[in-house]
Amino acid sequence: MNKEELANQLRSICGADAVITDEQELVVYECDAYTLQKNHPTAVVLPQNTEEVVAVVRLCAENDLPIIPRGAGTSLSGTVLAVEGGVMIALTRMNRILSLDTRNRRALVEAGCVNSWITQKADNFGLFFAPDPSSQSACTIGGNVATNAGGPHTLKNGVTTNHILGYEIVLPDGSIEWLGTTPEGGEEVDGFDLRGATIGCEGMFGVITRVLVRLTKKPTSFKTYLGVFDSVDAASQTVSDIIAAGIIPAALEMMDQLIIRAVEEAYHFGFPLDAGAILIVELDGLSGGVGDQGQIVETICKQNEAREVRAAKDEEERAAIWKCRKRAFGAVGRISPNYLTQDGVVPRSKVPEIMRFIKATSVKYNLRIPNVFHAGDGNIHPLILFDERKDGEVKQALRAGEDILNKCIEMGGSVSGEHGIGAEKIDFMERQFSKDDLGAMQFLRIAFDPGKRCNPHKMFPGSKRCSDFAPRKQAAA
Amino acid sequence: MIQNFISEEKSLACVHCGLCLSACPTYLETGNENDSPRGRIYLMRNIQTQRVTVDNTVMRHIDLCLGCRACENACPSGVEYGHLLEHARDYFEKTHNRSFSQTFLRRIAIEQVFPFPWRLKFVLFFSTILRLPIFRWALPQFAKESLLLLPKEAISKSPPEYSPSLEKNVGRVGFIEGCVMQVMFGATHDNSIALLNQQGWDVASPKKQGCCGALYAHSGQLDKARECARNNIAAFEREKLDAIIINAAGCGSTLKEYGQLLGNDPAWSERAARFSAKVKDLSEWITPENLKPSNREIIVTYQDACHLAHPQGVTAEPRELVKAVAGDNYIELQEADVCCGSAGSYNLTEPEMAKKLQNRKVRNLIDTGAEIVVTANPGCLLQIQSGLKKAGSGMKIMHLADYLIEYGE
Ligand SMILES: Cc1cc2nc3c(=O)[nH]c(=O)nc-3n(C[C@H](O)[C@H](O)[C@H](O)COP(=O)(O)OP(=O)(O)OC[C@H]3O[C@@H](n4cnc5c(N)ncnc54)[C@H](O)[C@@H]3O)c2cc1C
Ligand code: SF4
Ligand code: SF4
């Protein structure tokens, strides 16, 4: 089938304004928030409902075309890259909250619904949707399920999979399955937990169309501390000590000096610019317990020579702290034209060591590397700053990232905490997993997608690369 | 060879994170990344690097942008989207040929009428006649739509050059008349000045002032916008003023940006910056303390005018004022700062999207159960009024100044 025929057929399914095949318009679909690899899909469709998704998926099955599910395209690892073209199915028009069942604390939403909209809607009933990736104001539930997204508050609340009861998925052959709890059903489901097996599939098992999410009761009290330290070492030690004291904060986040400066420039919160590191420690629960734990946290911070420890004085200040934290990645745009976000995990006790390694890497490649990350989980996010207009900087940045991730594996950690493998980290899979492990993963994948047509060339070693890898020198990021 | 129409530094500030997507009204409606801020910036950059050429398809996405700048508020990288858009539009207008009807609408119908109060009065006069059914069949669809937007009883009146306060005098402020405000909402001007007078401000409204230039700036005619700016700066420089007050959000954001607009003009840049620093929206200047709470049990909501909420960041002040009068009868509106589709002359150039956003706004308004909705911009007033009317809703829309005067005593 040639492109024109494909376009016509897609239009007859979804309507003319829901199909994009003009190369000029496909440009904006050539990458997600990871901009180092680019390629145009053959077409993008914006279906309105599950029936349209099914018809599009069938059409692709009949013509042996790749399909690439897409949410908001905020992925940081190129998971929505159309490596070899194919039909990109963007769920951005399927974005409604279908029902809110406050008694059973669950909500049924379409896959394109934006994460934060659920909490906005549930807030009136004292409920919220717990997974809170920093991109929550834009990323979709479908994308969260497909990447098993986490966020600052996953330390206590758990990642996406802990909050997804069930979902509807259109398999690559066009059949519809509901996995897990149905909107009418009870929480317990007999048989295999296939729901869990496909969460984190990075769009390789089919197109998720509707999701039944769990809502959580809002804690009655919060205490959010800011600890200011002279060095990353002291802050890292504090993290270890807090966990060792048996306290599980709702969130435990670290920002280093470079990121503090970027954030301060953006939001003028009043962070001290000469601080070596800042810890955000949030405790939640019943007010009595929060108060007691707060005392311990303060003591631990001071033992580690915190220059200053203070609690947010009210909800407004707490919101301001989180705004700074959640939008820290983006704020980096103010100090560098490009950045590469790395996402690795190390055992919590190794946080001081990996931070020292990152600093050494920064010196080695002569690139600035600010850090803002989920210290409580040992989930690091070094942001490698570069300017793609400068000769060789892209390559240097990639190498620096590679060194850091290799170190994570060496320390017994992993190469992705939450951003996924996608197109970016394929090479690390062999280093982190044995051949048998990878074989088992392929086995599961083939059970869902025997033709390997769904979001192909991701995650598994030996996958094809984009022709536009390590980009030409151009201003467009 | 393509000229560098947007600054590379400014466009590279966009790190492609996508956090702005769900703030963008057009993206919320179409779900197409080309209609999102990230997509549009990407298109602009790729036009600059010549990977993309300016054709009708690409122009559709740029034209569809409301210029509401909700994306700027959402962007953590501080991307100056409004600036990029103005410069891109300026360039496209010079290089891209539009169809005849679009050119007519943009260059003649809008830019030759709105900025000139007397021409606007003339059009209003005819529109009153044209409302008679016998004339209506002859009109094209867009003209019918625009007619619906015109208020039935437009009160056309220019405020006096000088209105002294009878209270204990605290100072003197300038007053911007605006084009649409002056012709269609004369009563709102009276009320705005009354509020200022009540709080002790003498009000001067120099006759030499003219159009603020917003319509030109937003449609990519920066030179004309600069002319407007110089004229106004000169008109207000003659007076010693504590502030320059504007009660229309769209004009306000442009007036506050004169400094930037004339930044490269050595003779004017400093004067422009001084002028802009004095510009205040009415809601930023008057204070809630002296307002009296209403004793009527009427539920009131507030809708943000884009150009007040986004570029000016004024969201708390007008709410405080409304609450000072409405008390517990104030209710918050869902998606209060998602554009209603008015966006200057947008509802004339992009009627289809404008209508979608109008419906979205009306749905959210009706959900509040309020009887009055307050806002701070003439465009929003007209757009929402006609939307409410079409939906058969009895909800009343009022300018902040009118609401405070009518209900505040
Ligand atoms: C500034 C910033 C901060 C971020 N912070 C975090 C963070 O704190 N934690 C975190 O985990 N991630 C974070 N991310 C990464 C990203 O936002 C998440 O991975 C998010 O879950 C992606 O959602 P999306 O809707 O944008 O999906 P996309 O980027 O569009 O897609 C991501 C993957 O999901 C698949 N997919 C999307 N929708 C569907 C569907 N309906 N059915 C099947 N597959 C689908 C795609 O094929 C792709 O493989 C951040 C990103 C940015 C830019
Ligand atoms: S404009 Fe800002 S929020 Fe939007 S993609 Fe660019 S950097 Fe991100
Ligand atoms: S100005 Fe408004 S319509 Fe235009 S891109 Fe920004 S948010 Fe969207």
Side-chain angles (χ1 to χ4, degrees), chain A residues 82-150:
Chain A
V83 179
E84 263 196 310
V87 176
M88 193 171 270
I89 303 177
L91 285 106
T92 45
R93 285 189 180 181
M94 292 174 61
N95 60 5
R96 288 174 304 165
I97 295 176
L98 298 171
S99 67
L100 200 66
D101 176 355
T102 52
R103 261 206 6 212
N104 294 306
R105 293 193 191 156
R106 46 171 84 162
L108 181 64
V109 305
E110 290 181 317
C113 177
V114 171
N115 172 308
S116 65
W117 294 354
I118 304 178
T119 294
Q120 272 163 27
K121 191 101 177 184
D123 188 58
N124 290 338
F125 306 95
L127 300 170
F128 75 113
F129 179 59
D132 63 336
S134 304
S135 52
Q136 75 186 128
S137 61
C139 64
T140 67
I141 293 298
N144 293 166
V145 173
T147 58
N148 195 12

Side-chain angles (χ1 to χ4, degrees), chain B residues 225-246:
Chain B
R226 289 186 187 109
E227 247 167 66
C228 296
R230 291 188 194 103
N231 173 50
N232 281 327
I233 294 166
F236 281 87
E237 263 173 357
R238 294 189 188 114
E239 308 256 357
K240 199 172 158 308
L241 302 168
D242 296 295
I244 298 171
I245 306 298
I246 173 76

Side-chain angles (χ1 to χ4, degrees), chain A residues 308-372:
Chain A
E308 186 194 337
V309 194
R310 69 182 169 98
K313 59 179 184 299
D314 51 21
E315 184 51 37
E316 213 170 296
E317 198 178 38
R318 173 174 175 256
I321 293 174
W322 282 112
K323 179 178 172 190
C324 294
R325 163 57 189 97
K326 294 211 167 172
R327 301 171 83 185
F329 280 3
V332 165
R334 295 171 192 255
I335 55 175
S336 172
N338 309 88
Y339 69 83
L340 177 67
T341 313
Q342 270 314 350
D343 171 33
V345 183
V346 294
R348 244 178 330 243
S349 57
K350 301 262 170 78
V351 167
E353 194 181 334
I354 190 78
M355 294 306 290
R356 281 194 289 270
F357 182 81
I358 292 170
K359 196 158 182 194
T361 310
S362 160
V363 174
K364 177 173 167 194
Y365 291 100
N366 193 22
L367 295 170
R368 291 176 297 166
I369 312 184
N371 289 277
V372 48

Side-chain angles (χ1 to χ4, degrees), chain A residues 153-390:
Chain A
H153 290 83
T154 38
L155 181 58
K156 184 165 179 184
N157 294 328
V159 287
T160 300
T161 189
N162 302 104
H163 303 274
I164 301 298
L165 293 164
Y167 50 87
E168 178 185 74
I169 181 167
V170 177
L171 297 178
D173 63 358
S175 55
I176 307 178
E177 286 290 338
W178 187 282
L179 302 179
T181 303
T182 57
E184 304 78 31
E187 296 233 347
E188 292 306 318
V189 183
D190 297 334
F192 292 133
D193 182 12
L194 287 175
R195 174 206 66 89
T198 67
I199 290 178
C201 67
E202 297 195 6
M204 295 164 82
F205 290 1
V207 184
I208 298 158
T209 41
R210 286 189 297 161
V211 185
L212 185 68
V213 304
R214 186 199 307 281
L215 301 174
T216 307
K217 197 163 170 356
K218 272 201 296 192
T220 48
S221 106
F222 289 103
K223 200 132 197 171
T224 309
Y225 288 94
L226 276 186
V228 181
F229 296 85
D230 284 330
S231 70
V232 170
D233 260 9
S236 308
Q237 195 52 48
T238 309
V239 172
S240 285
D241 293 352
I242 290 175
I243 305 280
I247 295 174
I248 301 192
L252 183 40
E253 303 280 306
M254 196 190 304
M255 300 198 275
D256 74 1
Q257 187 170 56
L258 267 172
I259 210 86
I260 293 169
R261 288 190 180 159
V263 163
E264 196 47 37
E265 192 179 317
Y267 304 118
H268 316 292
F269 180 83
F271 293 129
L273 293 178
D274 60 339
I278 285 179
L279 278 187
I280 303 172
V281 189
E282 182 157 288
L283 302 167
D284 69 7
L286 303 170
S287 54
V290 168
D292 296 346
Q293 290 191 340
Q295 299 256 301
I296 305 176
V297 166
E298 275 189 59
T299 315
I300 294 177
C301 287
K302 290 201 177 118
Q303 275 164 4
N304 285 298
E305 288 170 3
R307 194 199 293 180
E308 186 194 337
V309 194
R310 69 182 169 98
K313 59 179 184 299
D314 51 21
E315 184 51 37
E316 213 170 296
E317 198 178 38
R318 173 174 175 256
I321 293 174
W322 282 112
K323 179 178 172 190
C324 294
R325 163 57 189 97
K326 294 211 167 172
R327 301 171 83 185
F329 280 3
V332 165
R334 295 171 192 255
I335 55 175
S336 172
N338 309 88
Y339 69 83
L340 177 67
T341 313
Q342 270 314 350
D343 171 33
V345 183
V346 294
R348 244 178 330 243
S349 57
K350 301 262 170 78
V351 167
E353 194 181 334
I354 190 78
M355 294 306 290
R356 281 194 289 270
F357 182 81
I358 292 170
K359 196 158 182 194
T361 310
S362 160
V363 174
K364 177 173 167 194
Y365 291 100
N366 193 22
L367 295 170
R368 291 176 297 166
I369 312 184
N371 289 277
V372 48
F373 62 103
H374 314 312
D377 303 315
N379 183 183
I380 57 164
H381 287 321
L383 299 156
I384 303 162
L385 309 187
F386 64 97
D387 184 340
E388 66 182 5
R389 294 164 300 176
K390 289 196 189 141

Side-chain angles (χ1 to χ4, degrees), chain A residues 20 22 24-25 27-30 32-33 38 70 72-73 92-93 137-138 267 327 330-331 333-334 337 389 475 477, chain B residues 8-9 12 15-16 18 21-22 27 30-34 38 42 45 51-53 55 57 61 73-78:
Chain A
I20 302 162
D22 187 323
Q24 301 231 72
E25 291 173 288
V27 166
V28 306
Y29 285 97
E30 70 185 2
D32 46 35
K38 295 167 188 165
R70 189 183 204 263
T92 45
R93 285 189 180 181
S137 61
Y267 304 118
R327 301 171 83 185
R334 295 171 192 255
R389 294 164 300 176
Chain B
E8 201 170 291
E9 285 311 315
L12 279 176
V15 291
H16 216 74
L21 293 176
S22 64
Y27 175 78
T30 70
N32 184 339
E33 174 102 16
N34 284 283
R38 178 171 71 173
Y42 205 59
R45 274 196 206 171
R51 278 182 77 210
V52 168
T53 51
D55 64 6
T57 320
H61 300 299
N73 259 23
C75 174
S77 297

Side-chain angles (χ1 to χ4, degrees), chain A residues 438-468:
Chain A
L438 290 169
M441 288 184 211
Q442 281 283 21
F443 211 66
L444 181 63
R445 171 190 182 191
I446 286 168
F448 282 87
D449 180 19
K452 297 187 185 174
R453 271 187 309 106
C454 203
N455 205 12
H457 310 299
K458 308 284 159 62
M459 209 189 279
F460 292 102
S463 300
K464 206 170 191 162
R465 280 291 166 74
C466 252
S467 46
D468 196 9

